[in-house]
């Protein structure tokens, strides 16, 4: 299973490069422009994938080497991490082929897998040396970006299939914002104020604000400020959780409470 984490981590940047060359069809930016929504982010935001792929590769090599191969927590999250990497990989050609139904299942599946791994690593009572740097950080960043990306993808699918009015997107976009906020705040709470996870989400929310501020769709200005409102709430929640739990910016391991005799 550790080898599978390595192989899927290698597959992500390779498939991303192939996707950018048009090997699977139109690139993601081209398809995204066909279905404009009030939740789309500015193009620069997607550069975060380069950092995510790099850190995931480092994590894959780290967890598969040395004594870490026998670590119980890393072993427990390895299947979920490999699944999350695999689903991230196949999402790219599926999106290029405009198989939107499958894309939704895949991206929410990837989010679920990597969020589970990040939660387990955050709450590990006995982390290995540098586990926070080479396991918790990469998977938290990946999960954070996917939290917003999944809902951006959902908005595009709604427009593509015209499930909701395309010329009056604000009402249902606000509903999507509400659900996304509930999910991201709940996950951040489970991770006791994960600053890396929150940073990835904030990167996405600011990019949504930037894009919507100059968007021609009706309701774009409102959408932009809703993104900023969610960002502010996330910052406040993260700060409060970090004050409540020890460890400063990086959470300390959860302490085991001795059983009463």
């Amino acid at each position: 299973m550790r080898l599978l984490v390595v192989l899927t981590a290698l597959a992500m940047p390779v498939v991303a490069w192939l996707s950018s060359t048009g090997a699977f069809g139109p690139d993601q930016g081209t398809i995204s422009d066909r279905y404009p929504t009030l939740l789309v982010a500015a193009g620069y935001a997607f550069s975060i994938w380069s950092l995510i792929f790099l850190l995931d590769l480092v994590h894959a090599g780290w967890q598969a080497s040395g004594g870490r191969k026998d670590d119980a927590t890393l072993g427990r999250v390895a299947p979920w991490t490999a699944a999350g990497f695999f689903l991230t990989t196949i999402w790219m050609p599926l999106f290029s082929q405009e198989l939107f139904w499958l894309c939704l299942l895949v991206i929410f599946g990837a989010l679920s897998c990597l969020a589970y791994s990040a939660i387990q690593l955050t709450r590990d009572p006995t982390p290995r040396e540098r586990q926070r740097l080479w396991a918790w950080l990469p998977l938290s960043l990946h999960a954070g970006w996917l939290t917003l990306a999944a809902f951006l993808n959902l908005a595009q699918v709604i427009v593509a299939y015209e499930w909701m009015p395309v010329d009056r997107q604000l009402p249902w976009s606000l509903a999507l914002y509400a659900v996304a906020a509930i999910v991201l705040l709940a996950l951040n709470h489970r991770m006791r104020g994960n600053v890396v996870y929150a940073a990835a989400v904030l990167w996405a929310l600011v990019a949504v604000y930037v894009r919507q501020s100059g968007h021609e769709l009706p309701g774009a200005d409102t959408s932009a400020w809703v993104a900023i409102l969610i960002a502010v709430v996330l910052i406040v929640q993260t700060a409060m959780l970090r004050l409540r739990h020890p460890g400063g910016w990086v959470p300390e391991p959860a302490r085991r409470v001795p059983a009463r005799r």
Side-chain angles (χ1 to χ4, degrees):
M1 190 54 67
R2 302 302 184 90
L3 179 59
L4 194 56
V5 173
V6 174
L7 292 175
T8 51
L10 287 168
M12 287 188 292
V14 171
V15 173
W17 178 77
L18 289 172
S19 181
S20 70
T21 66
F24 308 114
D27 63 29
Q28 294 155 31
T30 300
I31 294 177
S32 180
D33 289 343
R34 293 177 186 172
Y35 308 107
T37 77
L38 293 180
L39 274 76
V40 71
Y44 75 84
F46 299 91
S47 63
I48 195 175
W49 278 118
S50 297
L51 178 60
I52 290 171
F53 291 154
L54 174 62
L55 291 175
D56 285 344
L57 280 168
V58 173
H59 164 69
W62 181 83
Q63 59 88 45
S65 60
R68 295 173 290 273
K69 291 184 289 186
D70 300 319
D71 183 85
T73 301
L74 293 173
R76 185 166 63 252
V77 304
W80 297 91
T81 301
F85 289 175
F86 172 74
L87 292 170
T88 299
T89 302
I90 66 171
W91 180 90
M92 292 178 270
L94 290 175
F95 192 74
S96 292
Q97 292 296 311
E98 299 190 40
L99 298 173
F100 294 135
W101 273 104
L102 276 176
C103 285
L104 277 184
L105 294 175
V106 165
I107 197 167
F108 277 98
L111 168 59
S112 300
C113 291
L114 291 167
Y116 174 83
S117 293
I119 290 169
Q120 293 302 307
L121 291 167
T122 300
R123 304 178 80 86
D124 184 5
T126 55
R128 298 190 68 89
E129 183 181 3
R130 298 191 178 180
Q131 181 171 301
R132 300 299 189 202
L133 182 62
W134 300 128
W136 172 80
L137 188 154
L139 301 186
S140 296
L141 189 73
H142 198 153
W145 173 256
L146 283 181
T147 303
L148 256 293
F151 285 94
L152 304 186
N153 192 180
L154 177 54
Q156 288 182 328
V157 172
I158 289 173
V159 170
Y161 289 120
E162 298 185 358
W163 290 342
M164 297 289 181
V166 175
D167 57 346
R168 196 167 58 87
Q169 296 187 22
L170 186 59
W172 59 262
S173 295
L174 293 177
L176 279 189
Y177 269 125
V179 177
I182 291 169
V183 171
L184 70 89
L185 292 173
L187 288 174
N188 194 40
H189 185 268
R190 285 276 292 163
M191 290 184 273
R192 306 198 305 267
N194 185 328
V195 293
V196 176
Y197 172 86
V201 174
L202 290 171
W203 173 265
L205 287 169
V206 170
V208 171
Y209 169 80
V210 170
R211 179 67 179 93
Q212 297 306 318
S213 294
H215 210 300
E216 67 280 358
L217 286 176
D221 288 340
T222 301
S223 177
W225 287 108
V226 170
I228 291 299
L229 175 62
I230 295 172
V232 170
V233 173
L234 178 61
I235 291 170
V236 171
Q237 182 207 35
T238 303
M240 291 176 65
L241 288 168
R242 295 312 320 129
L243 288 172
R244 186 184 308 169
H245 298 284
W249 289 106
V250 179
E252 284 185 1
R255 299 183 184 278
R256 284 197 176 109
V257 179
R260 292 184 180 180
R261 296 184 180 275

